[in-house]
Amino acid sequence: MKPLSISLLLLFSAPVLGQTFTVTQIDSIVHRIDSTKGLRNAVVDGYLKRKGNKKLKGGFSDTFWLTPTDNHLVKVERGEALNHYAVRAYYFYNDTLIFVKTSIYESQLARNRISEGEYYFYADVLLKKREKGEQAIKSEVFIKQSQEYLVDAKSIFNL
């Protein structure tokens, strides 16, 4: 077997159906996703506008990562430039959100991190969160956004 096939087999065979993930298992899956080579990807860029206003508020870029063999969405990275620069990474296992990592900076060029967070999910339930600095996003927003990403991935990749 090729290394890519082995890592994908490990990635999608770790937990047994019906088993609840632990934080350690989720960390392991996230690490495997980040170290897997050969994932399919697509980038979507856009602008954000204020409600009821035609003036641009900022911009964003979403990068979608899918497994090449069975087209499962495994990760979405979002960079968003508004008043601050926010980076979020959403991780999926069998099309279900399992982890979100956030970092907010003063600006896109600044290295000063204002806040960061790690959010662990299983079956759309927040298992654990770690936050440093002020967080302005509730975990329910991550779940809603992850569901939108699943729909978007199917459309982008014609699945």
Side-chain angles (χ1 to χ4, degrees), residues 6 68 95 140 150:
I6 292 171
D95 295 333
E140 297 82 19
L150 288 166

Side-chain angles (χ1 to χ4, degrees), residues 6-158:
I6 292 171
S7 53
L8 291 176
L9 178 65
L10 290 172
L11 178 65
F12 292 106
S13 64
V16 177
L17 290 175
Q19 175 185 356
T20 302
F21 286 115
T22 65
V23 169
T24 303
Q25 288 171 318
I26 291 171
D27 283 338
S28 177
I29 293 169
V30 167
H31 176 71
R32 283 185 259 162
I33 290 170
D34 284 340
S35 62
T36 300
K37 305 290 185 216
L39 295 174
R40 294 177 57 199
N41 65 55
V43 178
V44 176
D45 295 319
Y47 296 100
L48 301 168
K49 295 181 181 182
R50 298 183 192 279
K51 285 187 175 182
N53 190 345
K54 294 183 180 182
K55 187 175 178 182
L56 293 178
K57 182 179 175 184
F60 71 92
S61 178
D62 293 333
T63 305
F64 293 78
W65 301 91
L66 274 74
T67 57
T69 53
D70 56 7
N71 294 317
H72 279 284
L73 180 63
V74 292
K75 182 178 180 182
V76 176
E77 293 176 341
R78 181 178 187 100
E80 197 173 88
L82 299 168
N83 297 333
H84 298 24
Y85 183 67
V87 179
R88 294 185 192 99
Y90 293 74
Y91 291 82
F92 298 84
Y93 179 85
N94 287 339
D95 295 333
T96 302
L97 180 67
I98 58 167
F99 182 74
V100 177
K101 181 172 180 143
T102 66
S103 296
I104 299 175
Y105 300 88
E106 289 178 356
S107 72
Q108 195 165 0
L109 300 175
R111 296 195 188 277
N112 295 344
R113 189 177 298 168
I114 296 172
S115 66
E116 61 185 73
E118 293 181 340
Y119 304 86
Y120 295 82
F121 294 90
Y122 185 76
D124 291 338
V125 174
L126 181 65
L127 297 176
K128 183 176 183 174
K129 66 181 177 178
R130 297 180 189 137
E131 298 175 323
K132 292 181 184 173
E134 186 176 327
Q135 293 293 317
I137 299 176
K138 295 181 180 180
S139 60
E140 297 82 19
V141 173
F142 295 135
I143 294 168
K144 181 180 180 209
Q145 184 66 55
S146 73
Q147 293 164 349
E148 292 173 8
Y149 282 143
L150 288 166
V151 171
D152 291 348
K154 288 179 182 179
S155 173
I156 292 167
F157 290 95
N158 295 319

